Amino acid sequence: MKTYLTLDVGGSAIKYALIQEDLTIIEKSSVPTPMDTLDNFIETIGKIYDQYSQKIDGMAISMPGIIDPEKGYQYTGGALRYISDLDTVNTLKKRCPTNITIGNDAKCAANAEIGFGNLQDIQDGAVVILGTGIGGCLIKDHQVHTGKHFSAGEFSFIKTNNNDAFSWDNAWSTRCGIKGLLERVQEQLETDETYTGIEIFDMANSGNEKVLAGINEFAKEVAVQIFNVHIIFDCEKVAIGGGISAQPILIDLINKNLDQIYADLGFSVYRPAIVPCKFRNDANLIGALYQHIQTYK
């Protein structure tokens, strides 16, 4: 059975795993993400590769930024500011001589659901990742839809305020990221005290009405934007990812608010199913692997 080195490059850490093609994770670890230079980044990847070079059939990488996955080219690197207009795959191959693929992180999360998760049975849909910001991906004909300029499904940029110039404060990225959730709960609690996401959902699951009201306000805006995406794209299903997607109460409230939108609509329009992503913390690793297998099958 073939074995692959898969990497999930994030803004703070590079998670990596040795994974067999049947998704068995043999081992997993992480190292800090270099934020200083491209050379340091390449060498960090190279040292990980050196540990497994004799055991693997290829290397699959999930990364931030605008990426052409077929050419292995990065136009931007997201939080990795030293990556711009880089032939990333060929650059890495000079240090790591093996088959390498790269893909945008949110699109890798979608690939995990298409290939092995809760979107295996659809043709058209979307994935919404609720994290520090909003990750997004459109799925067309059972494949990740990158768009002509590789930025389709960049939900973070959706503007939510008609009166002011665009800023991240009025973009969906902030309003429906973790920061937006925490702010809504603080407003309901009428406090300046800060809470973690874990603390908020512990309170919600214990029946705290004010916390539930704050989460509901957050879920209402998520539902509105999912509705907007669906009306444009006609989704069969929308999968919700990110750490907080593991909270059933959040998925329930998104569904409740979407039901209300359809009740207010007053006429028949298909309603997409809202499901949690099957793969959470490992989604980008699993999706990068799926993309790699599809590329070299």
Short mmCIF file of all heavy atoms in Angstrom, two decimals, residues 55-120:
data_model
loop_
_atom_site.label_atom_id
_atom_site.label_comp_id
_atom_site.label_asym_id
_atom_site.label_seq_id
_atom_site.Cartn_x
_atom_site.Cartn_y
_atom_site.Cartn_z
N LYS A 55 10.46 6.21 2.70
CA LYS A 55 9.22 5.51 3.02
C LYS A 55 8.03 5.97 2.19
O LYS A 55 6.97 5.35 2.26
CB LYS A 55 8.87 5.72 4.51
CG LYS A 55 9.93 5.29 5.49
CD LYS A 55 9.48 5.61 6.92
CE LYS A 55 10.54 5.24 7.93
NZ LYS A 55 10.11 5.60 9.32
N ILE A 56 8.18 7.04 1.41
CA ILE A 56 7.00 7.67 0.82
C ILE A 56 6.96 7.56 -0.69
O ILE A 56 7.98 7.38 -1.36
CB ILE A 56 6.91 9.15 1.22
CG1 ILE A 56 8.11 9.95 0.69
CG2 ILE A 56 6.79 9.28 2.74
CD1 ILE A 56 7.99 11.46 0.92
N ASP A 57 5.73 7.67 -1.21
CA ASP A 57 5.50 7.65 -2.66
C ASP A 57 5.17 9.04 -3.19
O ASP A 57 4.84 9.18 -4.37
CB ASP A 57 4.34 6.69 -2.97
CG ASP A 57 4.68 5.26 -2.61
OD1 ASP A 57 5.39 4.62 -3.40
OD2 ASP A 57 4.26 4.80 -1.53
N GLY A 58 5.25 10.05 -2.35
CA GLY A 58 4.98 11.41 -2.78
C GLY A 58 4.68 12.30 -1.59
O GLY A 58 4.57 11.84 -0.46
N MET A 59 4.58 13.60 -1.88
CA MET A 59 4.35 14.58 -0.83
C MET A 59 3.20 15.50 -1.25
O MET A 59 3.21 16.08 -2.34
CB MET A 59 5.63 15.39 -0.58
CG MET A 59 5.57 16.29 0.62
SD MET A 59 7.24 16.76 1.24
CE MET A 59 7.83 17.77 -0.11
N ALA A 60 2.19 15.63 -0.37
CA ALA A 60 1.00 16.43 -0.64
C ALA A 60 0.93 17.56 0.37
O ALA A 60 1.03 17.32 1.58
CB ALA A 60 -0.25 15.56 -0.55
N ILE A 61 0.75 18.80 -0.11
CA ILE A 61 0.85 19.96 0.77
C ILE A 61 -0.39 20.84 0.64
O ILE A 61 -0.80 21.20 -0.47
CB ILE A 61 2.10 20.79 0.46
CG1 ILE A 61 3.36 19.90 0.46
CG2 ILE A 61 2.25 21.93 1.46
CD1 ILE A 61 4.62 20.64 0.07
N SER A 62 -0.96 21.20 1.78
CA SER A 62 -2.00 22.21 1.88
C SER A 62 -1.35 23.50 2.33
O SER A 62 -0.59 23.51 3.30
CB SER A 62 -3.07 21.76 2.88
OG SER A 62 -3.87 22.84 3.30
N MET A 63 -1.67 24.63 1.62
CA MET A 63 -1.03 25.90 1.93
C MET A 63 -2.02 27.05 1.82
O MET A 63 -3.01 26.94 1.10
CB MET A 63 0.15 26.15 0.98
CG MET A 63 1.26 25.13 1.06
SD MET A 63 2.67 25.57 0.02
CE MET A 63 3.29 27.00 0.88
N PRO A 64 -1.75 28.16 2.49
CA PRO A 64 -2.59 29.34 2.29
C PRO A 64 -2.23 30.03 0.98
O PRO A 64 -1.16 29.79 0.40
CB PRO A 64 -2.24 30.22 3.49
CG PRO A 64 -0.83 29.85 3.83
CD PRO A 64 -0.71 28.38 3.51
N GLY A 65 -3.13 30.88 0.50
CA GLY A 65 -2.83 31.69 -0.67
C GLY A 65 -3.60 31.30 -1.91
O GLY A 65 -4.38 30.35 -1.92
N ILE A 66 -3.40 32.08 -2.95
CA ILE A 66 -4.02 31.83 -4.26
C ILE A 66 -3.08 30.92 -5.04
O ILE A 66 -1.94 31.30 -5.33
CB ILE A 66 -4.28 33.14 -5.01
CG1 ILE A 66 -5.29 33.99 -4.22
CG2 ILE A 66 -4.81 32.87 -6.41
CD1 ILE A 66 -5.53 35.36 -4.81
N ILE A 67 -3.58 29.73 -5.37
CA ILE A 67 -2.72 28.65 -5.89
C ILE A 67 -3.32 28.06 -7.16
O ILE A 67 -4.52 27.80 -7.23
CB ILE A 67 -2.56 27.55 -4.83
CG1 ILE A 67 -1.81 28.09 -3.60
CG2 ILE A 67 -1.85 26.32 -5.38
CD1 ILE A 67 -1.77 27.13 -2.42
N ASP A 68 -2.47 27.83 -8.14
CA ASP A 68 -2.82 27.02 -9.31
C ASP A 68 -2.34 25.61 -9.01
O ASP A 68 -1.15 25.32 -9.10
CB ASP A 68 -2.11 27.57 -10.56
CG ASP A 68 -2.42 26.76 -11.82
OD1 ASP A 68 -2.89 25.60 -11.69
OD2 ASP A 68 -2.18 27.27 -12.92
N PRO A 69 -3.26 24.70 -8.62
CA PRO A 69 -2.82 23.37 -8.19
C PRO A 69 -2.28 22.52 -9.32
O PRO A 69 -1.46 21.63 -9.08
CB PRO A 69 -4.09 22.77 -7.59
CG PRO A 69 -5.21 23.48 -8.28
CD PRO A 69 -4.72 24.87 -8.52
N GLU A 70 -2.71 22.77 -10.55
CA GLU A 70 -2.22 21.97 -11.67
C GLU A 70 -0.77 22.29 -11.99
O GLU A 70 0.03 21.41 -12.29
CB GLU A 70 -3.11 22.18 -12.90
CG GLU A 70 -4.52 21.62 -12.72
CD GLU A 70 -5.32 21.70 -14.01
OE1 GLU A 70 -4.76 22.12 -15.05
OE2 GLU A 70 -6.51 21.35 -13.97
N LYS A 71 -0.41 23.56 -11.93
CA LYS A 71 0.96 23.96 -12.22
C LYS A 71 1.84 23.96 -10.98
O LYS A 71 3.07 24.06 -11.08
CB LYS A 71 0.98 25.36 -12.86
CG LYS A 71 0.35 25.41 -14.25
CD LYS A 71 0.44 26.81 -14.82
CE LYS A 71 -0.16 26.87 -16.23
NZ LYS A 71 -0.10 28.25 -16.78
N GLY A 72 1.21 23.89 -9.80
CA GLY A 72 1.98 23.96 -8.57
C GLY A 72 2.57 25.34 -8.35
O GLY A 72 3.67 25.48 -7.80
N TYR A 73 1.79 26.37 -8.72
CA TYR A 73 2.28 27.74 -8.71
C TYR A 73 1.47 28.56 -7.70
O TYR A 73 0.25 28.44 -7.63
CB TYR A 73 2.13 28.36 -10.11
CG TYR A 73 2.79 29.68 -10.30
CD1 TYR A 73 4.10 29.76 -10.77
CD2 TYR A 73 2.11 30.88 -10.05
CE1 TYR A 73 4.72 30.99 -10.96
CE2 TYR A 73 2.72 32.11 -10.24
CZ TYR A 73 4.02 32.16 -10.70
OH TYR A 73 4.63 33.37 -10.89
N GLN A 74 2.15 29.40 -6.93
CA GLN A 74 1.48 30.27 -5.96
C GLN A 74 1.59 31.73 -6.38
O GLN A 74 2.69 32.27 -6.54
CB GLN A 74 2.08 30.11 -4.56
CG GLN A 74 1.61 28.84 -3.87
CD GLN A 74 2.11 28.77 -2.44
OE1 GLN A 74 3.19 28.25 -2.23
NE2 GLN A 74 1.33 29.27 -1.50
N TYR A 75 0.42 32.37 -6.54
CA TYR A 75 0.41 33.80 -6.82
C TYR A 75 0.59 34.59 -5.54
O TYR A 75 1.22 35.65 -5.52
CB TYR A 75 -0.90 34.18 -7.52
CG TYR A 75 -1.01 33.57 -8.89
CD1 TYR A 75 -1.63 32.34 -9.08
CD2 TYR A 75 -0.47 34.21 -10.01
CE1 TYR A 75 -1.72 31.76 -10.35
CE2 TYR A 75 -0.54 33.65 -11.28
CZ TYR A 75 -1.17 32.42 -11.44
OH TYR A 75 -1.24 31.84 -12.68
N THR A 76 0.00 34.07 -4.44
CA THR A 76 0.20 34.66 -3.12
C THR A 76 0.37 33.52 -2.11
O THR A 76 0.01 32.38 -2.39
CB THR A 76 -0.99 35.54 -2.69
OG1 THR A 76 -2.14 34.70 -2.46
CG2 THR A 76 -1.32 36.58 -3.74
N GLY A 77 0.88 33.88 -0.93
CA GLY A 77 1.08 32.88 0.10
C GLY A 77 0.29 33.14 1.36
O GLY A 77 0.60 32.58 2.41
N GLY A 78 -0.74 34.00 1.26
CA GLY A 78 -1.54 34.29 2.45
C GLY A 78 -0.66 34.88 3.54
O GLY A 78 0.04 35.89 3.33
N ALA A 79 -0.68 34.25 4.71
CA ALA A 79 0.12 34.75 5.85
C ALA A 79 1.62 34.63 5.59
O ALA A 79 2.42 35.29 6.27
CB ALA A 79 -0.25 33.98 7.11
N LEU A 80 2.01 33.80 4.62
CA LEU A 80 3.43 33.64 4.30
C LEU A 80 3.83 34.72 3.29
O LEU A 80 3.81 34.51 2.07
CB LEU A 80 3.69 32.24 3.74
CG LEU A 80 3.18 31.08 4.59
CD1 LEU A 80 3.53 29.75 3.95
CD2 LEU A 80 3.73 31.16 6.01
N ARG A 81 4.16 35.89 3.79
CA ARG A 81 4.36 37.06 2.94
C ARG A 81 5.56 36.92 2.01
O ARG A 81 5.66 37.65 1.01
CB ARG A 81 4.55 38.31 3.82
CG ARG A 81 3.37 38.60 4.75
CD ARG A 81 2.10 38.84 3.96
NE ARG A 81 0.98 39.21 4.84
CZ ARG A 81 -0.27 39.33 4.44
NH1 ARG A 81 -0.56 39.11 3.17
NH2 ARG A 81 -1.21 39.65 5.28
N TYR A 82 6.47 36.01 2.31
CA TYR A 82 7.65 35.83 1.45
C TYR A 82 7.33 34.99 0.21
O TYR A 82 8.19 34.78 -0.63
CB TYR A 82 8.80 35.19 2.23
CG TYR A 82 8.43 33.98 3.06
CD1 TYR A 82 8.18 32.74 2.47
CD2 TYR A 82 8.31 34.07 4.44
CE1 TYR A 82 7.83 31.64 3.23
CE2 TYR A 82 7.97 32.97 5.21
CZ TYR A 82 7.73 31.76 4.60
OH TYR A 82 7.38 30.66 5.35
N ILE A 83 6.09 34.49 0.10
CA ILE A 83 5.70 33.74 -1.09
C ILE A 83 4.85 34.63 -1.98
O ILE A 83 3.78 35.11 -1.59
CB ILE A 83 4.92 32.47 -0.73
CG1 ILE A 83 5.82 31.47 0.00
CG2 ILE A 83 4.30 31.83 -1.97
CD1 ILE A 83 5.13 30.18 0.39
N SER A 84 5.34 34.89 -3.19
CA SER A 84 4.62 35.69 -4.17
C SER A 84 5.12 35.30 -5.55
O SER A 84 6.33 35.32 -5.81
CB SER A 84 4.85 37.18 -3.92
OG SER A 84 4.19 37.96 -4.90
N ASP A 85 4.19 34.93 -6.42
CA ASP A 85 4.56 34.52 -7.79
C ASP A 85 5.70 33.51 -7.76
O ASP A 85 6.78 33.72 -8.32
CB ASP A 85 4.95 35.74 -8.63
CG ASP A 85 3.77 36.67 -8.87
OD1 ASP A 85 2.66 36.15 -9.13
OD2 ASP A 85 3.94 37.89 -8.76
N LEU A 86 5.42 32.39 -7.10
CA LEU A 86 6.45 31.36 -6.89
C LEU A 86 6.05 30.04 -7.53
O LEU A 86 4.94 29.57 -7.35
CB LEU A 86 6.66 31.14 -5.38
CG LEU A 86 7.71 30.09 -4.98
CD1 LEU A 86 9.11 30.56 -5.36
CD2 LEU A 86 7.63 29.80 -3.48
N ASP A 87 6.97 29.46 -8.28
CA ASP A 87 6.81 28.11 -8.83
C ASP A 87 7.13 27.13 -7.69
O ASP A 87 8.20 26.53 -7.65
CB ASP A 87 7.75 27.92 -10.02
CG ASP A 87 7.48 26.62 -10.76
OD1 ASP A 87 6.59 25.84 -10.32
OD2 ASP A 87 8.15 26.38 -11.78
N THR A 88 6.19 27.00 -6.78
CA THR A 88 6.44 26.36 -5.49
C THR A 88 6.84 24.89 -5.63
O THR A 88 7.79 24.43 -4.99
CB THR A 88 5.20 26.48 -4.59
OG1 THR A 88 4.84 27.87 -4.49
CG2 THR A 88 5.46 25.93 -3.21
N VAL A 89 6.10 24.14 -6.44
CA VAL A 89 6.39 22.71 -6.55
C VAL A 89 7.80 22.47 -7.07
O VAL A 89 8.56 21.68 -6.50
CB VAL A 89 5.33 22.00 -7.42
CG1 VAL A 89 5.83 20.62 -7.85
CG2 VAL A 89 4.02 21.87 -6.66
N ASN A 90 8.16 23.14 -8.15
CA ASN A 90 9.51 22.92 -8.70
C ASN A 90 10.60 23.43 -7.76
O ASN A 90 11.70 22.86 -7.71
CB ASN A 90 9.63 23.57 -10.07
CG ASN A 90 8.90 22.78 -11.14
OD1 ASN A 90 8.82 21.54 -11.07
ND2 ASN A 90 8.34 23.47 -12.12
N THR A 91 10.30 24.49 -7.03
CA THR A 91 11.26 24.99 -6.04
C THR A 91 11.48 23.97 -4.94
O THR A 91 12.62 23.69 -4.54
CB THR A 91 10.75 26.31 -5.44
OG1 THR A 91 10.60 27.28 -6.48
CG2 THR A 91 11.73 26.84 -4.39
N LEU A 92 10.38 23.36 -4.46
CA LEU A 92 10.49 22.36 -3.40
C LEU A 92 11.16 21.08 -3.91
O LEU A 92 11.89 20.42 -3.16
CB LEU A 92 9.12 22.04 -2.84
CG LEU A 92 8.51 23.09 -1.90
CD1 LEU A 92 7.06 22.76 -1.60
CD2 LEU A 92 9.31 23.19 -0.61
N LYS A 93 10.91 20.73 -5.17
CA LYS A 93 11.48 19.50 -5.71
C LYS A 93 13.00 19.54 -5.74
O LYS A 93 13.66 18.48 -5.70
CB LYS A 93 10.94 19.23 -7.11
CG LYS A 93 9.57 18.57 -7.13
CD LYS A 93 9.14 18.22 -8.54
CE LYS A 93 7.84 17.43 -8.56
NZ LYS A 93 7.44 17.05 -9.94
N LYS A 94 13.59 20.72 -5.83
CA LYS A 94 15.05 20.81 -5.82
C LYS A 94 15.61 20.35 -4.47
O LYS A 94 16.74 19.86 -4.40
CB LYS A 94 15.48 22.25 -6.11
CG LYS A 94 15.14 22.72 -7.51
CD LYS A 94 15.46 24.20 -7.70
CE LYS A 94 15.04 24.69 -9.08
NZ LYS A 94 15.28 26.15 -9.25
N ARG A 95 14.80 20.52 -3.43
CA ARG A 95 15.22 20.09 -2.09
C ARG A 95 14.65 18.73 -1.72
O ARG A 95 15.28 17.95 -0.99
CB ARG A 95 14.77 21.14 -1.06
CG ARG A 95 15.04 20.79 0.41
CD ARG A 95 16.52 20.66 0.68
NE ARG A 95 16.78 20.39 2.09
CZ ARG A 95 16.70 19.18 2.66
NH1 ARG A 95 16.33 18.12 1.93
NH2 ARG A 95 16.97 19.03 3.95
N CYS A 96 13.47 18.44 -2.26
CA CYS A 96 12.75 17.20 -1.92
C CYS A 96 12.39 16.47 -3.22
O CYS A 96 11.29 16.69 -3.77
CB CYS A 96 11.48 17.51 -1.12
SG CYS A 96 11.70 18.63 0.27
N PRO A 97 13.27 15.65 -3.75
CA PRO A 97 13.05 15.01 -5.06
C PRO A 97 12.01 13.89 -5.00
O PRO A 97 12.35 12.70 -4.94
CB PRO A 97 14.44 14.50 -5.44
CG PRO A 97 15.11 14.27 -4.13
CD PRO A 97 14.60 15.32 -3.19
N THR A 98 10.75 14.27 -5.05
CA THR A 98 9.65 13.31 -5.07
C THR A 98 8.46 13.97 -5.77
O THR A 98 8.50 15.18 -6.06
CB THR A 98 9.27 12.87 -3.65
OG1 THR A 98 8.32 11.80 -3.71
CG2 THR A 98 8.67 14.02 -2.84
N ASN A 99 7.42 13.21 -6.07
CA ASN A 99 6.20 13.82 -6.60
C ASN A 99 5.57 14.72 -5.54
O ASN A 99 5.33 14.28 -4.42
CB ASN A 99 5.19 12.74 -7.01
CG ASN A 99 5.65 11.97 -8.23
OD1 ASN A 99 6.39 12.49 -9.07
ND2 ASN A 99 5.21 10.73 -8.36
N ILE A 100 5.30 15.98 -5.91
CA ILE A 100 4.75 16.95 -4.96
C ILE A 100 3.53 17.63 -5.58
O ILE A 100 3.52 17.97 -6.76
CB ILE A 100 5.79 18.03 -4.60
CG1 ILE A 100 7.03 17.40 -3.95
CG2 ILE A 100 5.19 19.08 -3.66
CD1 ILE A 100 8.16 18.40 -3.69
N THR A 101 2.50 17.79 -4.76
CA THR A 101 1.36 18.61 -5.15
C THR A 101 1.08 19.62 -4.04
O THR A 101 1.37 19.37 -2.87
CB THR A 101 0.08 17.77 -5.37
OG1 THR A 101 -0.17 16.97 -4.21
CG2 THR A 101 0.22 16.88 -6.59
N ILE A 102 0.53 20.78 -4.44
CA ILE A 102 0.11 21.78 -3.46
C ILE A 102 -1.33 22.20 -3.77
O ILE A 102 -1.77 22.15 -4.91
CB ILE A 102 1.03 23.02 -3.44
CG1 ILE A 102 1.00 23.74 -4.79
CG2 ILE A 102 2.44 22.65 -3.07
CD1 ILE A 102 1.68 25.11 -4.77
N GLY A 103 -2.04 22.61 -2.73
CA GLY A 103 -3.40 23.10 -2.90
C GLY A 103 -3.74 24.11 -1.82
O GLY A 103 -3.17 24.09 -0.73
N ASN A 104 -4.64 25.02 -2.14
CA ASN A 104 -5.13 25.99 -1.17
C ASN A 104 -5.77 25.27 0.01
O ASN A 104 -6.45 24.26 -0.16
CB ASN A 104 -6.14 26.93 -1.84
CG ASN A 104 -6.91 27.77 -0.86
OD1 ASN A 104 -7.97 27.37 -0.40
ND2 ASN A 104 -6.38 28.93 -0.54
N ASP A 105 -5.58 25.80 1.22
CA ASP A 105 -6.02 25.09 2.42
C ASP A 105 -7.53 24.84 2.48
O ASP A 105 -7.96 23.72 2.76
CB ASP A 105 -5.54 25.80 3.69
CG ASP A 105 -5.70 27.31 3.65
OD1 ASP A 105 -6.43 27.82 2.78
OD2 ASP A 105 -5.09 28.00 4.50
N ALA A 106 -8.33 25.86 2.19
CA ALA A 106 -9.78 25.65 2.22
C ALA A 106 -10.23 24.68 1.14
O ALA A 106 -11.14 23.87 1.35
CB ALA A 106 -10.51 26.98 2.06
N LYS A 107 -9.57 24.73 -0.01
CA LYS A 107 -9.94 23.82 -1.09
C LYS A 107 -9.48 22.39 -0.78
O LYS A 107 -10.13 21.43 -1.19
CB LYS A 107 -9.37 24.34 -2.41
CG LYS A 107 -10.07 25.64 -2.85
CD LYS A 107 -9.44 26.26 -4.07
CE LYS A 107 -10.27 27.46 -4.54
NZ LYS A 107 -10.41 28.53 -3.54
N CYS A 108 -8.40 22.26 -0.01
CA CYS A 108 -8.01 20.93 0.45
C CYS A 108 -9.06 20.38 1.42
O CYS A 108 -9.39 19.19 1.37
CB CYS A 108 -6.64 20.98 1.13
SG CYS A 108 -5.26 21.05 -0.04
N ALA A 109 -9.58 21.24 2.30
CA ALA A 109 -10.63 20.79 3.22
C ALA A 109 -11.84 20.30 2.43
O ALA A 109 -12.47 19.30 2.80
CB ALA A 109 -11.02 21.93 4.16
N ALA A 110 -12.17 20.98 1.34
CA ALA A 110 -13.29 20.54 0.50
C ALA A 110 -12.96 19.21 -0.19
O ALA A 110 -13.83 18.33 -0.30
CB ALA A 110 -13.61 21.60 -0.55
N ASN A 111 -11.73 19.06 -0.64
CA ASN A 111 -11.34 17.80 -1.27
C ASN A 111 -11.48 16.62 -0.32
O ASN A 111 -11.81 15.51 -0.73
CB ASN A 111 -9.89 17.91 -1.78
CG ASN A 111 -9.82 18.33 -3.23
OD1 ASN A 111 -10.61 17.90 -4.05
ND2 ASN A 111 -8.85 19.19 -3.54
N ALA A 112 -11.21 16.86 0.96
CA ALA A 112 -11.37 15.79 1.94
C ALA A 112 -12.81 15.32 2.00
O ALA A 112 -13.10 14.12 2.07
CB ALA A 112 -10.92 16.27 3.32
N GLU A 113 -13.75 16.27 1.94
CA GLU A 113 -15.17 15.92 2.00
C GLU A 113 -15.66 15.29 0.70
O GLU A 113 -16.48 14.37 0.71
CB GLU A 113 -16.00 17.17 2.33
CG GLU A 113 -15.69 17.78 3.68
CD GLU A 113 -15.88 16.80 4.83
OE1 GLU A 113 -16.90 16.07 4.84
OE2 GLU A 113 -15.00 16.75 5.71
N ILE A 114 -15.15 15.77 -0.43
CA ILE A 114 -15.51 15.19 -1.73
C ILE A 114 -15.01 13.75 -1.84
O ILE A 114 -15.72 12.85 -2.28
CB ILE A 114 -14.90 16.02 -2.88
CG1 ILE A 114 -15.54 17.41 -2.95
CG2 ILE A 114 -15.09 15.30 -4.22
CD1 ILE A 114 -14.80 18.35 -3.89
N GLY A 115 -13.77 13.55 -1.41
CA GLY A 115 -13.14 12.25 -1.61
C GLY A 115 -13.53 11.21 -0.60
O GLY A 115 -13.76 10.04 -0.94
N PHE A 116 -13.66 11.63 0.67
CA PHE A 116 -13.82 10.64 1.74
C PHE A 116 -14.88 11.00 2.77
O PHE A 116 -15.13 10.22 3.69
CB PHE A 116 -12.48 10.45 2.47
CG PHE A 116 -11.31 10.17 1.57
CD1 PHE A 116 -10.32 11.12 1.37
CD2 PHE A 116 -11.19 8.95 0.92
CE1 PHE A 116 -9.23 10.87 0.56
CE2 PHE A 116 -10.10 8.69 0.10
CZ PHE A 116 -9.12 9.65 -0.08
N GLY A 117 -15.49 12.18 2.65
CA GLY A 117 -16.33 12.68 3.73
C GLY A 117 -17.80 12.82 3.41
O GLY A 117 -18.39 11.99 2.69
N ASN A 118 -18.39 13.92 3.88
CA ASN A 118 -19.83 14.10 3.83
C ASN A 118 -20.35 14.70 2.53
O ASN A 118 -21.55 14.99 2.42
CB ASN A 118 -20.28 14.96 5.02
CG ASN A 118 -20.15 14.21 6.33
OD1 ASN A 118 -20.18 12.98 6.36
ND2 ASN A 118 -19.97 14.94 7.42
N LEU A 119 -19.47 14.89 1.55
CA LEU A 119 -19.90 15.41 0.24
C LEU A 119 -19.58 14.43 -0.89
O LEU A 119 -19.52 14.82 -2.05
CB LEU A 119 -19.24 16.77 -0.03
CG LEU A 119 -19.55 17.88 0.97
CD1 LEU A 119 -18.84 19.17 0.56
CD2 LEU A 119 -21.05 18.13 1.10
N GLN A 120 -19.42 13.18 -0.55
CA GLN A 120 -19.11 12.17 -1.58
C GLN A 120 -20.27 11.98 -2.55
O GLN A 120 -20.06 11.55 -3.68
CB GLN A 120 -18.78 10.83 -0.92
CG GLN A 120 -17.49 10.82 -0.13
CD GLN A 120 -17.18 9.46 0.45
OE1 GLN A 120 -16.80 8.53 -0.27
NE2 GLN A 120 -17.35 9.30 1.75
#
